[in-house]
Amino acid sequence: MSGEAGDPPPVDNESIDGRRRPGYDAPLPDRLTQDNPGAVRAPPPEAFPTDQVPIPDRWRLIESLGVVKERWFDPYHQNTLKGDRPLDPEKWPLITGHDWFFSANLISDTVIEPRTFPIPVGLQTTERPGSLDVFGKDASYLLSQTFIVGAALTKGSTAFKPPEIEYRLALAVNVNYANVPERRVLLVEPSAPSHRFDHFVGVQEAFVDYHIRNTSDRYDFDSIRVGIQPFQADFRGFLFNDQNLGIRLFGNRDNNRFQYNLAAFWRISKDTNSGLNDLTTRPRDDWLFVANVYRQDFLIPALTSQVTVAYNMNREGDEYSEDKNGFPVRPALLGNIRPRNYDVVYVGYNADGRIGRINLTASAYGAFGEDRYNFFTDKSAVIRAFFGAAELSYDRDWMRFRLSGLWASGDHDPYDNREGGFDAVFENPVFAGADTSYWIRQAIPFAGGSRAVLVNGRNGILNSLRSSKEEGQSNFNNPGTMLVGLGADFDVLPTLRVSANANHLWFEDTITLQVLRNEGSIPREIGWDLSASAIWRPWANQNAVARLSAAALVPGAGFRDLFGNSNGNRNYYSVLANVVLSY
């Protein structure tokens, strides 16, 4: 025992590694000195701002640090061509400042589509001797390749606020080949072959978007867009979904919970075989004026409500027009075949969101107006037509189950002064399987009334009896449409989705068809539309998407009555192989 008698025993001040006795301060290490000739003294703390640290070029910081090297063909890292970095004003003399961004995109859309549908036999001549029936062979196929090249020049950082100004241009080049088994289907001349190769260049976007003002510190705003621009009047594209020449005032309020559009469009003529905008001809005397408002969490939370009012003013009542293939499109070859004007106001309510676990999309429209020349009576008629559609879906893990229903009123008396068949301005619906569906994807020619009139339009669901969705006029003397469908989507892999749909279709009223076909009665059932598809995204993004789908129409009594043929009314099919590559 050491120490004086009575002293406390010594204490181990570091008995446990990393801990020390309270009140004990270990001795400091020896002082370090540095000898660094020529060193620059660090700036004092007051030389730095207290709220931010300036960086000469934050956009290219990671490249300066050697983390990544920009390559023009690489869209997955920072790339000036994709709008990730501002343009250098020293290299771009037409711009000033360091807040201009350029973005380019390139899309390749390839379609291979064998299909069957009722094809009428040519009147003057036929493809084969002995073709004496009204309808002949029905197998055909289509090849279509579209390249879309787009570019945009934008001023302002758009991560948290709208751009100050944007210039955008998009051109589409389409090459297509079609082959059918009968004459006078692709071209009006009886001597023309039953196959066709065509190409076209269309201007799909060319607009200026100007930011007028911000209305809140959360960047609620008002903007105006002038030029050829895309516009969709509702959530699913039931009324109008197209790219047209127009002027649009739009913006939002209340932290983006309220949105609005005020737009006027002068409809551009379309190329017959590609459907692209045709600027080589004068725009149509057809105008659309649209006003709509969106409100989130209305009528209930998680549901977005939209109210739309649209006015379609058509003044093509003094012209006769043919399409690129020589078939009449205005007026349609129905009734007295007289050009006509019409004014239609559409009033609609649309909803999109969910109610608890149920996803909901719904639309309801009323069409009110005047048709100056009813092609049955040669007199003016009032337009009173209605439309409703809804799709409910339920998600369970990697599966979604869908229930779809649609009703479009049909005309109940062709010879009165009222037209009750609902027709849209330019529909392109994403509904009930969309273009996987046989009825939505294919256009069925109404051979009994005219070879240049279709029961329904391609990429459309309404039985409108128009000459063409792209070039014809709206027709409110039609049999209407009813649909009930079931569908399901299965995300079997992160990169693979499989879908299946079963839709049952009817005409709402067949009196119009009976008059045009001079038949005493035609059943209402169109039949069953059965389809399945697989969508593969190999890189789990939209840069490469491959789709393969197959659909079949099992004709009902009404369809068999209209399109009876020597093949015994067998089923009709459609196969779609589609590959989309995007940069």
Side-chain angles (χ1 to χ4, degrees):
M1 182 172 181
S2 63
E4 299 293 336
D7 290 343
V11 178
D12 185 359
N13 294 307
E14 298 182 4
S15 59
I16 301 177
D17 187 29
R19 301 182 62 182
R20 64 181 178 85
R21 180 173 59 83
Y24 172 77
D25 293 323
L28 296 176
D30 296 337
R31 181 183 182 89
L32 295 177
T33 59
Q34 287 185 318
D35 185 11
N36 191 5
V40 178
R41 177 183 290 273
E46 57 270 16
F48 295 94
T50 59
D51 58 343
Q52 61 183 351
V53 177
I55 298 176
D57 189 345
R58 64 188 177 93
W59 306 101
R60 294 173 174 82
L61 178 62
I62 62 172
E63 185 176 14
S64 301
L65 297 175
V67 177
V68 65
K69 181 177 177 60
E70 178 173 339
R71 296 177 295 181
W72 67 269
F73 56 85
D74 182 5
Y76 295 104
H77 296 93
Q78 280 197 325
N79 192 323
T80 304
L81 297 181
K82 299 294 292 182
D84 296 328
R85 296 169 173 172
L87 300 176
D88 187 347
E90 296 181 359
K91 298 179 181 179
W92 296 71
L94 297 180
I95 66 172
T96 58
H98 293 271
D99 57 350
W100 285 93
F101 296 82
F102 177 83
S103 59
N105 63 284
L106 176 63
I107 298 174
S108 170
D109 189 344
T110 305
V111 171
I112 303 174
E113 187 176 9
R115 69 266 178 93
T116 64
F117 60 90
I119 298 179
V121 174
L123 290 177
Q124 296 85 352
T125 184
T126 62
E127 186 71 11
R128 293 165 307 281
S131 296
L132 302 177
D133 206 342
V134 176
F135 296 93
K137 298 288 185 178
D138 55 16
S140 66
Y141 63 87
L142 172 70
L143 306 176
S144 178
Q145 174 63 55
T146 303
F147 294 102
I148 302 175
V149 181
L153 185 62
T154 306
K155 178 178 175 60
S157 176
T158 61
F160 303 103
K161 62 180 182 178
E164 297 178 28
I165 191 168
E166 178 183 4
Y167 304 92
R168 182 175 291 273
L169 177 67
L171 304 177
V173 181
N174 176 264
V175 179
N176 61 81
Y177 175 80
N179 191 306
V180 299
E182 301 292 344
R183 299 290 182 99
R184 296 194 75 243
V185 175
L186 300 177
L187 297 166
V188 73
E189 296 89 352
S191 60
S194 58
H195 57 85
R196 181 193 64 220
F197 176 82
D198 193 26
H199 57 85
F200 193 77
V201 178
V203 181
Q204 299 305 102
E205 290 182 329
F207 65 78
V208 178
D209 187 322
Y210 178 71
H211 182 72
I212 299 174
R213 61 173 181 168
N214 292 324
T215 60
S216 74
D217 57 1
R218 294 297 184 93
Y219 294 113
D220 293 327
F221 68 94
D222 295 311
S223 290
I224 189 169
R225 180 176 293 182
V226 180
I228 301 174
Q229 56 189 286
F231 185 78
Q232 184 169 313
D234 52 59
F235 295 110
R236 292 298 183 97
F238 289 120
L239 180 63
F240 181 80
N241 183 7
D242 197 14
Q243 296 166 308
N244 261 286
L245 178 63
I247 180 170
R248 174 183 166 216
L249 177 68
F250 63 100
N252 62 357
R253 295 293 187 276
D254 192 18
N255 201 20
N256 201 37
R257 294 182 62 200
F258 175 88
Q259 303 169 22
Y260 74 91
N261 289 282
L262 294 172
F265 295 98
W266 188 9
R267 296 188 62 192
I268 300 174
S269 298
K270 302 290 186 180
D271 175 65
T272 303
N273 299 325
S274 67
L276 300 177
N277 289 335
D278 184 0
L279 299 188
T280 63
T281 60
R282 179 180 178 273
R284 298 174 55 178
D285 292 326
D286 195 16
W287 294 271
L288 178 68
F289 305 90
V290 182
N292 61 28
V293 293
Y294 299 77
R295 181 66 181 182
Q296 296 182 23
D297 298 323
F298 183 86
L299 301 159
I300 61 174
L303 187 72
T304 298
S305 293
Q306 183 219 50
V307 175
T308 296
V309 178
Y311 169 40
N312 185 201
M313 182 175 69
N314 185 282
R315 294 296 180 266
E316 296 174 315
D318 58 352
E319 64 180 65
Y320 291 86
S321 179
E322 298 177 350
D323 66 17
K324 186 177 180 179
N325 300 323
F327 293 99
V329 288
R330 298 190 299 272
L333 298 185
L334 292 172
N336 56 24
I337 316 178
R338 180 174 179 178
R340 62 193 181 92
N341 300 325
Y342 54 86
D343 298 273
V344 187
V345 174
Y346 296 90
V347 179
Y349 169 78
N350 302 278
D352 186 73
R354 60 181 176 85
I355 303 175
R357 291 289 305 275
I358 305 298
N359 305 307
L360 169 66
T361 293
S363 292
Y365 282 104
F368 311 95
E370 181 182 11
D371 188 347
R372 305 300 171 83
Y373 299 106
N374 182 313
F375 59 75
F376 284 107
T377 66
D378 201 22
K379 298 179 181 179
S380 295
V382 298
I383 298 171
R384 297 289 186 273
F386 302 92
F387 172 89
E391 187 168 273
L392 304 174
S393 64
Y394 178 80
D395 295 326
R396 184 173 179 82
D397 200 3
W398 49 278
M399 300 174 289
R400 168 171 288 189
F401 303 96
R402 292 178 279 106
L403 172 64
S404 305
L406 179 143
W407 173 81
S409 63
D411 190 49
H412 302 303
D413 185 355
Y415 292 106
D416 64 6
N417 64 348
R418 173 171 173 164
E419 297 179 4
F422 184 87
D423 197 4
V425 181
F426 192 94
E427 60 166 332
N428 196 355
V430 181
F431 183 77
D435 54 5
T436 299
S437 158
Y438 180 93
W439 195 256
I440 294 177
R441 182 71 182 177
Q442 304 304 323
I444 307 300
F446 183 61
S450 168
R451 297 173 187 276
V453 173
L454 305 171
V455 176
N456 61 320
R458 187 170 172 85
N459 295 323
I461 199 170
L462 300 175
N463 301 321
S464 56
L465 295 182
R466 295 170 71 155
S467 59
S468 166
K469 186 181 80 170
E470 291 81 9
E471 300 175 89
Q473 294 176 292
S474 296
N475 174 27
F476 301 92
N477 280 308
N478 67 63
T481 311
M482 294 192 299
L483 177 148
V484 174
L486 293 173
D489 303 320
F490 305 97
D491 291 327
V492 295
L493 295 171
T495 58
L496 179 63
R497 170 174 291 180
V498 176
S499 300
N501 302 279
N503 300 323
H504 198 189
L505 294 121
W506 300 266
F507 297 112
E508 202 271 340
D509 194 310
T510 60
I511 184 63
T512 303
L513 302 177
Q514 295 172 32
V515 172
L516 293 173
R517 291 290 293 265
N518 293 318
E519 292 191 30
S521 65
I522 297 177
R524 295 168 58 192
E525 185 187 15
I526 296 173
W528 284 93
D529 179 359
L530 308 175
S531 62
S533 68
I535 299 177
W536 181 44
R537 295 177 173 84
W539 300 322
N541 57 29
Q542 296 298 113
N543 291 99
V545 181
R547 169 189 289 183
L548 180 63
S549 66
L553 179 68
V554 181
F559 194 94
R560 292 195 301 268
D561 189 297
L562 288 170
F563 304 107
N565 56 56
S566 59
N567 293 324
N569 302 308
R570 64 184 178 85
N571 302 333
Y572 297 91
Y573 71 85
S574 170
V575 175
L576 173 65
N578 179 217
V579 176
V580 179
L581 304 176
S582 304
Y583 169 82

